[in-house]
Amino acid sequence: MLTNRDEILMRRVLKLAQKGQGKVHTNPVVGAVIADRDGNVISEGYHSYFGGPHAEVAAIEAGKNGDIHGSTLYVNLEPCCFQGKTPPCTIAIINAGIKRVVAATADPDPRVKGKGFDVLKNAGIKVEVGVLVEKARYLNRGYFSSRQRGRAWCAVKVALSMDGKMAAADGQSKWITGLEARKLAHSMRADHDGILVGGGTVRQDDPELTVRNVSGSNPVRVIISPHYGIPKESKLAQTTKTVKTILVTFESVDAPVDDIAGIELLKLPDRGDGTIDPKELLESLLEFGVQSLLIEGGSGVLSSFMQADVIDEISVMVAPSVIGQGLSPFNGFIPESWEERPKFEVSMVKRYGKDVMIRFSR
């Protein structure tokens, strides 16, 4: 039977797993804790680099000087049961004499997906699943989305004035929010595999789209600009050798990328109206290792992704200011009907300095 202590230790597991963010891609982030019969922690570990020991093995190795025989292993994802870059974790668990495994959720990878639990059960190990399952799935939301839906997880981040504008009528938008909210925005970039904007945003704002002022890896930069490409004098073009950058263009267009070394092309069909299918883009980005995507603008891109009904989450930074006439984030979106307009649930509200962040989830 699961206990409150099990939940406490699973929270520790999730914190450990986060240490692998940006280091184990495209594998999921996983943490592990081994505890004795009284719930005292013996050892812990996490998957720290791609191709390295998995969390379960790291925790077992860390506990070699202690007695882990008869212990309980806590892990946020089902232990693997196949030979990959490392041996199956199920074998290490069985050989270590662990007698109970508490997992947050099953692994959606068809090579595992319940098979890992079956191997452990057949070895006489008690398996219990379902502790903090939603938090565990959210932590690896890109991994789950890629394997269950065949597309990248899609999140949106926008900064708005209190009257719902993301820019003034003349295009000015720096800065709507304060330093604390902007720091959060950079943390969100580090928490996703890719970041996307449209070509208009590149030409208007000349963004760098990198992680600054916080620790974390730069996401892959994805630019939708089938007609104009990326200006070679832009910050993006100047940094394509150090930060992976993908230009999304039409199959029928020779993208103007001369003199921009290091840029990669993703060519997709023109839907006939001069736009690209957002769902097809999210599917294609998996080939580039992008399992979770953060969209930062502009209005045309945001509207097209809303129209395609592929947005999983929206984080809105609201500043206590009024812009008046200006640009709204989904100004180009037209719902099929009032009843069929997209609906989200408020999943988080938090203050950052003078601004407020509201997160809406599906």
Side-chain angles (χ1 to χ4, degrees):
M1 176 183 293
L2 294 170
T3 66
N4 183 57
R5 182 63 177 167
D6 292 331
E7 182 174 319
I8 291 172
L9 291 176
M10 188 60 73
R11 291 186 185 280
R12 175 59 185 165
V13 165
L14 294 175
K15 286 185 178 181
L16 287 167
Q18 291 175 7
K19 292 185 177 183
Q21 286 181 331
K23 303 172 185 176
V24 301
H25 187 71
T26 56
N27 284 348
V29 293
V30 181
V33 169
I34 297 176
D36 62 21
R37 293 179 179 87
D38 297 320
N40 300 309
V41 174
I42 299 173
S43 62
E44 56 188 31
Y46 66 97
H47 188 26
S48 59
Y49 65 94
F50 183 76
H54 288 188
E56 301 94 321
V57 174
I60 290 170
E61 290 294 323
K64 274 191 171 180
N65 294 328
D67 183 13
I68 62 176
H69 186 82
S71 61
T72 295
L73 169 72
Y74 295 85
V75 63
N76 58 295
L77 194 67
E78 178 180 4
C80 67
C81 55
F82 66 92
Q83 176 70 47
K85 290 185 177 296
T86 60
C89 290
T90 49
I91 292 178
I93 294 169
I94 294 168
N95 291 341
I98 291 169
K99 294 303 179 185
R100 180 175 176 247
V101 171
V102 177
T105 181
D107 190 328
D109 190 320
R111 294 172 296 178
V112 186
K113 200 174 183 180
K115 299 183 183 74
F117 292 145
D118 288 340
V119 170
L120 297 176
K121 290 175 184 177
N122 291 335
I125 296 174
K126 183 178 182 180
V127 176
E128 297 183 81
V129 187
V131 183
L132 302 181
V133 59
E134 293 303 322
K135 291 183 181 297
R137 287 175 60 89
Y138 185 79
L139 181 63
N140 281 305
R141 54 199 180 277
Y143 177 76
F144 275 87
S145 181
S146 66
R147 280 152 181 79
Q148 294 180 328
R149 302 186 295 182
R151 70 165 177 84
W153 168 273
C154 182
V156 166
K157 188 274 294 179
V158 291
L160 302 179
S161 60
M162 58 189 291
D163 58 334
K165 301 300 191 300
M166 62 186 295
D170 61 1
Q172 292 187 68
S173 61
K174 294 185 178 180
W175 296 99
I176 293 177
T177 55
L179 181 60
E180 292 88 345
R182 296 201 299 273
K183 187 174 181 180
L184 171 65
H186 282 270
S187 295
M188 293 176 64
R189 289 180 178 180
D191 195 32
H192 289 79
D193 302 327
I195 180 172
L196 182 145
V197 298
T201 297
V202 175
R203 293 185 290 274
Q204 174 70 33
D205 299 337
D206 192 21
E208 191 171 331
L209 301 180
T210 55
V211 174
R212 302 183 298 278
N213 303 318
V214 298
S215 61
S217 303
N218 289 321
V220 175
R221 302 181 301 194
V222 183
I223 314 301
I224 301 179
S225 186
H227 301 289
Y228 303 103
I230 300 174
K232 63 181 180 180
E233 68 276 6
S234 66
K235 293 177 183 176
L236 290 175
Q238 299 302 314
T239 54
T240 52
K241 291 183 179 180
T242 56
V243 184
K244 186 172 182 177
T245 307
I246 300 170
L247 174 62
V248 183
T249 184
F250 294 140
E251 293 175 335
S252 58
V253 172
D254 290 328
V257 294
D258 295 340
D259 301 323
I260 304 180
I263 196 168
E264 298 185 46
L265 292 180
L266 171 54
K267 292 193 172 186
L268 295 175
D270 182 343
R271 290 193 291 182
D273 59 357
T275 65
I276 286 167
D277 183 357
K279 186 174 184 294
E280 187 171 358
L281 173 56
L282 291 174
E283 293 169 349
S284 299
L285 284 176
L286 296 182
E287 300 174 11
F288 293 84
V290 177
Q291 297 179 336
S292 61
L293 182 70
L294 178 66
I295 304 176
E296 290 197 0
S299 179
V301 171
L302 293 171
S303 297
S304 68
F305 275 74
M306 183 65 78
Q307 199 77 50
D309 196 27
V310 292
I311 297 175
D312 298 303
E313 177 182 275
I314 304 175
S315 295
V316 182
M317 317 291 185
V318 183
S321 62
V322 175
I323 290 179
Q325 290 188 350
L327 187 64
S328 299
F330 301 103
N331 200 47
F333 167 66
I334 304 174
E336 293 295 326
S337 67
W338 175 259
E339 291 74 18
E340 295 181 19
R341 68 193 188 281
K343 298 179 179 66
F344 293 75
E345 293 184 0
V346 177
S347 56
M348 181 185 296
V349 179
K350 190 172 182 179
R351 183 168 181 169
Y352 290 87
K354 295 181 179 180
D355 308 311
V356 175
M357 189 275 281
I358 307 173
R359 180 164 292 161
F360 302 89
S361 303
R362 282 291 176 86

